[in-house]
Amino acid sequence: MYCGHESQNGPQPNQFLTDLLWKQFLNKYSIDLLSELKNATLKTLLNDILCRTVHIQSLIQTIATKLINLDKEISKIMQQHLQRAQTLLDDLNAIINDINQRNGDNDDSDSDTDNDNNRTNACLKKYLNALSGSKQQPGKEFIEICELLLEDNKQVECDKNFPSLNRIMKQWEHILGTSEQFEPKVIDVFKALEHDLNRTIIPNVVCRVGVIGEISSGKSSLLNRLREINEEETTKTFPIKLFSPIRDGKSTYCTLEYEHEYSNGNKITFVDIEGSTDNDTHIKSGNYFDEIQNADCDVYIILNSLKEWQNYIKQKLQRTCLLVRNKVDNLFLTAFEEEGKDFDLLSENRREKYRDKIINRIRSTVSRDISGNKLSDEIFLTFSSYRMNNRNRNLSRMSYSKFDIDQLIDRMKNLPLNLHEKRLERMAVYATSRVINTCFRRGYVVSILKYKIQAGIISVVPFANLLSRYLGEEEIRQVFGVNDRARLRNFITHKTDEFKDYLEKFKLSINRSDLQTSAFKLIFPINGDDILENVTNVSSVVAKGAVGVGVAGASVADDVLRAAIPVAVNTARALSISLIAVGVVLTAAMCAWAAVSNGKQMYKYLNQLCDDIILVSERVAMKIIQDNKRTREEWFGQKEER
């Protein structure tokens, strides 16, 4: 926001960062590996095209399914994204038909290897052109479509669950593009949030279950089993049930969602998360922990678990995780061989004799992760390989080859109610943050420029620029509607602010040290932690003295500034005439510095206030959901008594 004012044409992209990020996307979507298909067979090329086709189909279908019951007109931008995706899908399907035709012609004639390579390269060229788009940057069209549809999916989910919030955001966005005065009020956001939450039936909130693991660990195969998909369902239902993309090596390039309804009426959104490709088990930006967090699931199914993933999900994200050891068929058959037995040659009675013994041995073996760390949670054994061969075909026909898949499905059918509540809380925070970040945080509501000029002019008087900054922060609070009028005026007239009166009805308890500004601190009751925090802050300011803090250019929050006023007054009285004279003859450069610094501090305050508003909205959402839960339980209790 701030640097946007430094360019006449507005904010400009940073080409260095663009190139750096683009390299990561090329790796994420395996575009850099497409060159290896030059020497591949038509069948190998076809598998790659089919895999990417499923990605586009899945993303389109996910959005289309959510729009079916959504009473809204699709935005023009989203229509363009969907049309762009459909065009790419049509191009890929045309290439698939071409390959199938070439394969058919190849079956009828004896062609040499050179001709086969020519056919493959001709199809590969069309394929690369389709993925690259008009600008012919490798993979650009495919990557952009996937990322745009992923963002559109979030927007549709938000619109579906929070229509009131979405409505006021659209109204404000429209005003942003006109000459009308733009003065959004925070209380309108909170009332819309309250309305949307009160109309939501918590058990109907769909939880998200994600599957994570290393590449080729069988994540997509397991998802297909959990979704109870069979071949007939993929062609005779609408919307068509798509298989999660399955192939050797990397098959999932971005998070794909599949909504599934079980026989008991419970719905689950399964999330196919791309597999881990690194061995970095330290939490930092850019590795697999980012993928886990960005998927934002309520339950994570971890295949062939790493202890670090389990700890991160349970401790950092505070979500539920289930541990699964997939492809148990290989372990099972190998254990038979170690017993000196051939599973295929044994009679059913003989197989039964060794079965339980071997399964128990497997459970003991898989109770540690691949690094040898002991896993504390229950581990589900599953056999969900998509490829049957001579080794596991006979085992797949046995009833016990399902291992624990039925128990795992039963867990999916009966997720506890508190997971639905937590999902609703997270969606509420996301929806509110979206409005705050779009309509408040950008700085359109207050003219920062006049306070920058004002601070530059009056900075010839020591500490005067702090007054300009304080007045600017007062205006931000009033334009946002956090305060109806100046705090001093409230103090004199004994009036309160509408928004603060609204918040008090929720009887919230927030640790004041979690708030970055003083805008809300007087609303919430003080606890022991708050007292200790305030004493520490005030003591540190008094010890330094107001002069030291001001000269250093430190960011003084307005509540800390008030605490320092008595010290500042006494210090100012003690200033010598010579020091004041020095202040009066401050150079133009010093005035310019004061103007720029004041502008930056106001932008910082605006962002801090937005952060506080989002924090308060989270607590309000939690309180509304808890009250609704209490009301529902009381209603059911009264109904049972009758």
Side-chain angles (χ1 to χ4, degrees), residues 318-337:
Q318 296 186 351
R319 314 285 173 88
T320 301
C321 61
L322 301 174
L323 308 184
V324 171
R325 179 59 185 261
N326 197 26
K327 299 184 179 180
V328 179
D329 52 316
N330 288 329
L331 294 177
F332 186 85
L333 295 174
T334 299
F336 259 87
E337 293 171 357

Side-chain angles (χ1 to χ4, degrees), residues 48-96:
D48 194 275
I49 299 174
L50 287 171
C51 180
R52 296 183 191 274
T53 300
V54 170
H55 279 71
I56 303 296
Q57 286 178 314
S58 176
L59 291 169
I60 293 176
Q61 182 174 296
T62 298
I63 295 175
T65 302
K66 293 178 180 178
L67 288 172
I68 291 176
N69 300 319
L70 187 61
D71 184 19
K72 72 179 287 290
E73 182 181 352
I74 306 176
S75 69
K76 290 183 179 180
I77 294 179
M78 193 178 296
Q79 285 179 338
Q80 293 172 0
H81 296 167
L82 290 171
Q83 182 58 49
R84 187 175 168 186
Q86 187 60 52
T87 300
L88 176 58
L89 187 60
D90 293 341
D91 291 342
L92 294 180
N93 283 328
I95 298 172
I96 291 172

Side-chain angles (χ1 to χ4, degrees), residues 448-515:
I448 305 294
L449 179 61
K450 70 177 182 180
Y451 290 102
K452 291 172 65 177
I453 297 173
Q454 184 185 85
I457 294 174
I458 66 176
S459 63
V460 294
V461 180
F463 315 119
N465 62 314
L466 293 180
L467 175 62
S468 175
R469 186 174 130 209
Y470 178 79
L471 294 175
E473 293 172 356
E474 277 280 13
E475 183 179 355
I476 292 174
R477 289 192 292 269
Q478 290 177 43
V479 173
F480 279 12
V482 174
N483 298 131
D484 296 338
R485 59 196 69 82
R487 290 176 172 180
L488 179 60
R489 187 177 173 187
N490 273 353
F491 177 77
I492 296 173
T493 60
H494 302 288
K495 291 184 178 181
T496 57
D497 299 304
E498 180 186 6
F499 180 55
K500 294 181 179 179
D501 289 341
Y502 170 81
L503 289 179
E504 285 181 351
K505 76 175 186 178
F506 295 104
K507 297 181 173 58
L508 302 176
S509 177
I510 298 179
N511 192 328
R512 295 185 181 182
S513 62
D514 293 336
L515 297 168

Side-chain angles (χ1 to χ4, degrees), residues 538-555:
V538 173
S539 299
S540 61
V541 173
V542 172
K544 293 178 181 178
V547 175
V549 175
V551 172
S555 172

Side-chain angles (χ1 to χ4, degrees), residues 92 96 187 205 240 290 307 315 360 426 457 522 532 573 638:
L92 294 180
I96 291 172
I187 192 170
V205 175
I240 296 173
D290 272 356
K307 187 75 171 179
Q315 298 172 13
N360 289 334
R426 282 192 285 273
I457 294 174
L522 297 179
L532 180 61
R573 289 173 179 171
Q638 293 173 1

Side-chain angles (χ1 to χ4, degrees), residues 381-555:
L381 306 180
T382 59
F383 168 25
S384 57
S385 176
Y386 76 99
R387 179 173 294 171
M388 293 295 108
N389 52 45
N390 293 332
R391 177 174 169 79
N392 60 21
R393 186 170 289 108
N394 287 332
L395 174 60
S396 67
R397 299 189 181 105
M398 305 300 165
S399 60
Y400 49 82
S401 69
K402 298 170 74 173
F403 295 99
D404 300 329
I405 191 67
D406 288 339
Q407 294 91 314
L408 188 57
I409 290 176
D410 188 64
R411 292 286 291 272
M412 300 296 100
K413 288 182 177 179
N414 301 285
L415 294 178
L417 187 62
N418 72 299
L419 290 182
H420 298 266
E421 295 171 353
K422 292 294 183 182
R423 165 54 37 192
L424 183 58
E425 287 177 14
R426 282 192 285 273
M427 288 195 300
V429 173
Y430 173 78
T432 308
S433 302
R434 186 165 162 245
V435 178
I436 298 300
N437 293 337
T438 301
C439 302
F440 290 78
R441 195 183 292 273
R442 293 182 180 178
Y444 296 120
V445 294
V446 177
S447 175
I448 305 294
L449 179 61
K450 70 177 182 180
Y451 290 102
K452 291 172 65 177
I453 297 173
Q454 184 185 85
I457 294 174
I458 66 176
S459 63
V460 294
V461 180
F463 315 119
N465 62 314
L466 293 180
L467 175 62
S468 175
R469 186 174 130 209
Y470 178 79
L471 294 175
E473 293 172 356
E474 277 280 13
E475 183 179 355
I476 292 174
R477 289 192 292 269
Q478 290 177 43
V479 173
F480 279 12
V482 174
N483 298 131
D484 296 338
R485 59 196 69 82
R487 290 176 172 180
L488 179 60
R489 187 177 173 187
N490 273 353
F491 177 77
I492 296 173
T493 60
H494 302 288
K495 291 184 178 181
T496 57
D497 299 304
E498 180 186 6
F499 180 55
K500 294 181 179 179
D501 289 341
Y502 170 81
L503 289 179
E504 285 181 351
K505 76 175 186 178
F506 295 104
K507 297 181 173 58
L508 302 176
S509 177
I510 298 179
N511 192 328
R512 295 185 181 182
S513 62
D514 293 336
L515 297 168
Q516 300 183 52
T517 71
S518 66
F520 301 104
K521 289 189 176 182
L522 297 179
I523 302 176
F524 309 113
I526 300 177
N527 57 40
D529 293 336
D530 291 330
I531 295 174
L532 180 61
E533 182 75 18
N534 289 336
V535 169
T536 303
N537 286 341
V538 173
S539 299
S540 61
V541 173
V542 172
K544 293 178 181 178
V547 175
V549 175
V551 172
S555 172

